[in-house]
Amino acid sequence: MMQGTMKAIVKPERAPGAKLDEVPIPQISDQEVLIQVKATSICGTDVHIYAWDEWSQSRVNPPYVFGHEFAGVVVEKGKNVTNVDIGDHVSAETHIVCGECKQCLTGQAHICANTQIIGVDRDGCFAEYVALPAVNLWKNDPELPFDVASVQEPFGNGVHTVLAGDVAGKTVAVIGCGPIGIMAVGVAKACGASQVIAFDLNDYRLDLATKMGATTVVNSINEDPLEVVRALTNGEGVDVVCEMSGHPIAMNQGFKMVTNGGRVSILSLPVRPVEIDVTNDIVFKGITVQGITGRKMYETWQQVSGLLSSGQVDVKPMITHHFPLEDFEKGFNLMLEGKCGKVVLHP
Ligand SMILES: [Zn+2]
Ligand SMILES: [Zn+2]
């Protein structure tokens, strides 16, 4: 067993902020693996925890190491582990599921009733090492650069949302161009959408959406999203809306811009209940509304690997910043300002 201490970004107390600390290297059980973290990306969830918003106050228990998106190399494995070897390049499904509930037993482990999330409910990967159950590991092609491999988890959110129904030959709107929205644009384009229309209020991120293949980008402050969609779709509306903004106004625009019989797939997490015109925007339009959480285990991961290794989606344009772990505050500040795509930390 590896002994000693390591550098880690710790959420030290129930207050805003985080600090770099020396903590013990985690010890593994017989079912677990120790991974040396080579790249770890900052997620919106981590920014919530850093800023100490209402959600994180109700969910996380400091002190602990946070972070959940990473790529690394297996350096130690428990005696019952058979699916990976020392030296393997890995990332991980961040939802640790029970394997016993109704959902787990019916092929829907991504909505396990007893889900624990790495870096939220237990120690995470903003550290030199992370210990994880071997069943959660996803083996990476050693050729895949660590920074690209580290964003597979949020990329999987985008893949799960876009591919929760047909997109080939269809018009797709992506509302909200945070990193997952920007990656969803790339997925929709790669999977044959006839148009990919991206909406946000932030021009920096709309530029990234263009780089990832958006056919039209709309700054919803300067242009009326519904008018733009009408003009681009012969007045019919879009076939698919991927809702990534969580904003009540933007969300309502999504329900108004979808065509009769279309689909609205919601990945965003609005902080308060949102008022929707169910009668006119859902029932009479005969649309399908889907909640999307996590990634399907492990169908989504296979799609992720396929899209990245084939080069059909190149996520490099949206990985905009790299910092050593020590400079994590620079990364969090960029995320808070929205002046970045994906920020990757290197322990
Ligand atoms: Zn994430
Ligand atoms: Zn379960």
Side-chain angles (χ1 to χ4, degrees):
M1 286 265 176
M2 201 171 301
Q3 303 292 336
T5 62
M6 63 176 187
K7 282 188 198 130
I9 306 173
V10 173
K11 181 77 189 169
E13 55 185 11
R14 302 184 62 82
K19 75 168 191 203
L20 189 77
D21 214 346
E22 283 285 327
V23 301
I25 294 173
Q27 302 297 298
I28 55 170
S29 74
D30 292 346
Q31 282 68 245
E32 287 183 335
V33 163
L34 189 71
I35 299 139
Q36 184 175 30
V37 179
K38 297 290 191 182
T40 174
S41 41
I42 302 177
C43 178
T45 304
D46 304 318
V47 178
H48 290 294
I49 295 168
Y50 183 80
W52 199 239
D53 68 358
E54 269 176 54
W55 169 81
S56 43
Q57 290 173 33
S58 70
R59 178 76 182 250
V60 306
N61 288 306
Y64 81 113
V65 177
F66 62 130
H68 58 270
E69 302 172 359
F70 75 93
V73 177
V74 175
V75 290
E76 219 175 72
K77 63 177 202 168
K79 70 172 175 8
N80 298 340
V81 173
T82 55
N83 60 333
V84 290
D85 280 314
I86 309 290
D88 281 350
H89 290 208
V90 293
S91 292
E93 168 51 51
T94 54
H95 290 191
I96 298 174
V97 300
C98 74
E100 295 172 2
C101 71
K102 176 176 168 177
Q103 285 72 26
C104 284
L105 293 175
T106 53
Q108 305 182 89
H110 64 292
I111 44 173
C112 168
N114 307 308
T115 301
Q116 276 205 333
I117 302 179
I118 298 165
V120 174
D121 304 308
R122 57 180 272 158
D123 280 334
C125 62
F126 284 160
E128 291 177 273
Y129 298 94
V130 61
L132 292 173
V135 292
N136 277 72
L137 298 184
W138 184 257
K139 257 195 248 185
N140 294 327
D141 181 340
E143 303 287 303
L144 193 65
F146 287 117
D147 57 347
V148 171
S150 77
V151 305
Q152 290 179 105
E153 192 256 17
F155 183 67
N157 287 134
V159 168
H160 187 185
T161 310
V162 172
L163 299 185
D166 286 342
V167 289
K170 298 200 166 179
T171 47
V172 176
V174 175
I175 301 179
C177 289
I180 296 176
I182 297 167
M183 291 191 279
V185 165
V187 175
K189 197 71 204 303
C191 295
S194 60
Q195 292 190 63
V196 185
I197 312 165
F199 301 86
D200 204 278
L201 310 177
N202 175 334
D203 287 326
Y204 182 99
R205 285 187 159 160
L206 288 171
D207 281 346
L208 290 176
T210 302
K211 287 194 183 127
M212 292 297 290
T215 52
T216 308
V217 294
V218 181
N219 186 320
S220 307
I221 294 173
N222 305 331
E223 288 180 276
D224 177 354
L226 299 179
E227 257 169 46
V228 174
V229 166
R230 270 194 293 275
L232 290 170
T233 60
N234 273 329
E236 290 170 348
V238 293
D239 298 306
V240 178
V241 170
C242 298
E243 178 16 74
M244 311 275 189
S245 77
H247 191 282
I249 294 173
M251 231 174 185
N252 268 286
Q253 288 166 345
F255 280 96
K256 304 243 178 260
M257 73 173 64
V258 73
T259 195
N260 289 6
R263 117 168 113 101
V264 177
S265 301
I266 306 173
L267 181 80
S268 66
L269 303 172
V271 287
R272 304 232 141 68
V274 174
E275 198 169 304
I276 302 287
D277 184 347
V278 174
T279 304
N280 292 304
D281 292 345
I282 297 181
V283 178
F284 284 142
K285 289 174 85 166
I287 65 165
T288 302
V289 182
Q290 295 169 311
I292 306 286
T293 187
R295 296 140 299 277
K296 286 195 187 164
M297 295 171 211
Y298 279 80
E299 181 187 339
T300 305
W301 282 90
Q302 289 185 345
Q303 292 168 322
V304 165
S305 284
L307 287 167
L308 291 178
S309 66
S310 64
Q312 281 173 302
V313 180
D314 179 8
V315 293
K316 278 192 222 82
M318 56 82 55
I319 301 175
T320 53
H321 295 80
H322 295 264
F323 296 108
L325 192 67
E326 290 80 354
D327 290 340
F328 69 94
E329 271 171 340
K330 288 184 191 160
F332 277 97
N333 287 334
L334 282 166
M335 290 285 285
L336 286 164
E337 290 164 20
K339 292 217 171 81
C340 57
K342 212 67 192 162
V343 177
V344 178
L345 303 174
H346 298 270

PDB file of all heavy atoms in Angstrom, residues 97-105 109 112-115, ligand 2:
ATOM      1  N   VAL A  97     -23.105   3.396  -7.918  1.00  0.00           N
ATOM      2  CA  VAL A  97     -24.491   2.926  -7.776  1.00  0.00           C
ATOM      3  C   VAL A  97     -24.538   1.650  -6.956  1.00  0.00           C
ATOM      4  O   VAL A  97     -23.523   0.984  -6.763  1.00  0.00           O
ATOM      5  CB  VAL A  97     -25.154   2.735  -9.158  1.00  0.00           C
ATOM      6  CG1 VAL A  97     -25.168   4.066  -9.906  1.00  0.00           C
ATOM      7  CG2 VAL A  97     -24.440   1.673  -9.982  1.00  0.00           C
ATOM      8  N   CYS A  98     -25.767   1.315  -6.466  1.00  0.00           N
ATOM      9  CA  CYS A  98     -25.867   0.237  -5.478  1.00  0.00           C
ATOM     10  C   CYS A  98     -25.891  -1.156  -6.092  1.00  0.00           C
ATOM     11  O   CYS A  98     -25.529  -2.130  -5.452  1.00  0.00           O
ATOM     12  CB  CYS A  98     -27.078   0.471  -4.581  1.00  0.00           C
ATOM     13  SG  CYS A  98     -28.670   0.143  -5.377  1.00  0.00           S
ATOM     14  N   GLY A  99     -26.366  -1.261  -7.340  1.00  0.00           N
ATOM     15  CA  GLY A  99     -26.443  -2.572  -7.976  1.00  0.00           C
ATOM     16  C   GLY A  99     -27.604  -3.429  -7.492  1.00  0.00           C
ATOM     17  O   GLY A  99     -27.759  -4.570  -7.924  1.00  0.00           O
ATOM     18  N   GLU A 100     -28.426  -2.904  -6.590  1.00  0.00           N
ATOM     19  CA  GLU A 100     -29.468  -3.725  -5.971  1.00  0.00           C
ATOM     20  C   GLU A 100     -30.866  -3.146  -6.088  1.00  0.00           C
ATOM     21  O   GLU A 100     -31.848  -3.853  -5.879  1.00  0.00           O
ATOM     22  CB  GLU A 100     -29.153  -3.904  -4.474  1.00  0.00           C
ATOM     23  CG  GLU A 100     -27.890  -4.696  -4.233  1.00  0.00           C
ATOM     24  CD  GLU A 100     -27.474  -4.708  -2.763  1.00  0.00           C
ATOM     25  OE1 GLU A 100     -28.202  -4.126  -1.930  1.00  0.00           O
ATOM     26  OE2 GLU A 100     -26.415  -5.284  -2.472  1.00  0.00           O
ATOM     27  N   CYS A 101     -30.986  -1.850  -6.379  1.00  0.00           N
ATOM     28  CA  CYS A 101     -32.313  -1.230  -6.383  1.00  0.00           C
ATOM     29  C   CYS A 101     -33.054  -1.597  -7.674  1.00  0.00           C
ATOM     30  O   CYS A 101     -32.493  -2.193  -8.597  1.00  0.00           O
ATOM     31  CB  CYS A 101     -32.203   0.280  -6.221  1.00  0.00           C
ATOM     32  SG  CYS A 101     -31.536   1.125  -7.664  1.00  0.00           S
ATOM     33  N   LYS A 102     -34.325  -1.215  -7.732  1.00  0.00           N
ATOM     34  CA  LYS A 102     -35.166  -1.501  -8.899  1.00  0.00           C
ATOM     35  C   LYS A 102     -34.529  -0.997 -10.192  1.00  0.00           C
ATOM     36  O   LYS A 102     -34.511  -1.685 -11.211  1.00  0.00           O
ATOM     37  CB  LYS A 102     -36.511  -0.811  -8.660  1.00  0.00           C
ATOM     38  CG  LYS A 102     -37.494  -0.887  -9.768  1.00  0.00           C
ATOM     39  CD  LYS A 102     -38.787  -0.246  -9.296  1.00  0.00           C
ATOM     40  CE  LYS A 102     -39.737  -0.033 -10.447  1.00  0.00           C
ATOM     41  NZ  LYS A 102     -41.015   0.520  -9.960  1.00  0.00           N
ATOM     42  N   GLN A 103     -33.970   0.225 -10.161  1.00  0.00           N
ATOM     43  CA  GLN A 103     -33.384   0.802 -11.371  1.00  0.00           C
ATOM     44  C   GLN A 103     -32.116   0.038 -11.782  1.00  0.00           C
ATOM     45  O   GLN A 103     -31.944  -0.285 -12.953  1.00  0.00           O
ATOM     46  CB  GLN A 103     -33.064   2.285 -11.143  1.00  0.00           C
ATOM     47  CG  GLN A 103     -34.285   3.202 -11.147  1.00  0.00           C
ATOM     48  CD  GLN A 103     -35.166   3.060  -9.900  1.00  0.00           C
ATOM     49  OE1 GLN A 103     -34.696   2.676  -8.830  1.00  0.00           O
ATOM     50  NE2 GLN A 103     -36.432   3.365 -10.033  1.00  0.00           N
ATOM     51  N   CYS A 104     -31.237  -0.221 -10.804  1.00  0.00           N
ATOM     52  CA  CYS A 104     -30.004  -0.949 -11.129  1.00  0.00           C
ATOM     53  C   CYS A 104     -30.333  -2.322 -11.723  1.00  0.00           C
ATOM     54  O   CYS A 104     -29.655  -2.787 -12.639  1.00  0.00           O
ATOM     55  CB  CYS A 104     -29.140  -1.123  -9.885  1.00  0.00           C
ATOM     56  SG  CYS A 104     -28.266   0.378  -9.415  1.00  0.00           S
ATOM     57  N   LEU A 105     -31.381  -2.956 -11.210  1.00  0.00           N
ATOM     58  CA  LEU A 105     -31.712  -4.311 -11.656  1.00  0.00           C
ATOM     59  C   LEU A 105     -32.434  -4.330 -13.000  1.00  0.00           C
ATOM     60  O   LEU A 105     -32.656  -5.387 -13.566  1.00  0.00           O
ATOM     61  CB  LEU A 105     -32.568  -5.024 -10.594  1.00  0.00           C
ATOM     62  CG  LEU A 105     -31.840  -5.322  -9.284  1.00  0.00           C
ATOM     63  CD1 LEU A 105     -32.795  -5.908  -8.260  1.00  0.00           C
ATOM     64  CD2 LEU A 105     -30.654  -6.253  -9.505  1.00  0.00           C
ATOM     65  N   ALA A 109     -29.054   1.921 -14.266  1.00  0.00           N
ATOM     66  CA  ALA A 109     -28.216   2.283 -13.118  1.00  0.00           C
ATOM     67  C   ALA A 109     -27.932   3.783 -13.040  1.00  0.00           C
ATOM     68  O   ALA A 109     -27.627   4.293 -11.962  1.00  0.00           O
ATOM     69  CB  ALA A 109     -26.902   1.501 -13.167  1.00  0.00           C
ATOM     70  N   CYS A 112     -30.026   5.172 -10.435  1.00  0.00           N
ATOM     71  CA  CYS A 112     -30.021   4.414  -9.174  1.00  0.00           C
ATOM     72  C   CYS A 112     -30.540   5.289  -8.040  1.00  0.00           C
ATOM     73  O   CYS A 112     -30.147   6.445  -7.893  1.00  0.00           O
ATOM     74  CB  CYS A 112     -28.591   3.971  -8.854  1.00  0.00           C
ATOM     75  SG  CYS A 112     -28.385   3.344  -7.177  1.00  0.00           S
ATOM     76  N   ALA A 113     -31.429   4.701  -7.241  1.00  0.00           N
ATOM     77  CA  ALA A 113     -32.035   5.448  -6.131  1.00  0.00           C
ATOM     78  C   ALA A 113     -31.026   5.730  -5.017  1.00  0.00           C
ATOM     79  O   ALA A 113     -31.277   6.565  -4.151  1.00  0.00           O
ATOM     80  CB  ALA A 113     -33.220   4.659  -5.587  1.00  0.00           C
ATOM     81  N   ASN A 114     -29.896   5.037  -5.030  1.00  0.00           N
ATOM     82  CA  ASN A 114     -28.910   5.193  -3.949  1.00  0.00           C
ATOM     83  C   ASN A 114     -27.567   5.706  -4.462  1.00  0.00           C
ATOM     84  O   ASN A 114     -26.518   5.333  -3.948  1.00  0.00           O
ATOM     85  CB  ASN A 114     -28.713   3.849  -3.247  1.00  0.00           C
ATOM     86  CG  ASN A 114     -30.034   3.252  -2.790  1.00  0.00           C
ATOM     87  OD1 ASN A 114     -30.822   3.913  -2.124  1.00  0.00           O
ATOM     88  ND2 ASN A 114     -30.316   2.018  -3.184  1.00  0.00           N
ATOM     89  N   THR A 115     -27.624   6.567  -5.475  1.00  0.00           N
ATOM     90  CA  THR A 115     -26.391   7.053  -6.100  1.00  0.00           C
ATOM     91  C   THR A 115     -25.542   7.888  -5.137  1.00  0.00           C
ATOM     92  O   THR A 115     -26.054   8.741  -4.426  1.00  0.00           O
ATOM     93  CB  THR A 115     -26.747   7.940  -7.318  1.00  0.00           C
ATOM     94  OG1 THR A 115     -27.505   7.169  -8.239  1.00  0.00           O
ATOM     95  CG2 THR A 115     -25.495   8.458  -8.012  1.00  0.00           C
TER      96      THR A 115
HETATM   97 ZN    ZN B   2     -29.203   1.157  -7.396  1.00  0.00          ZN
END
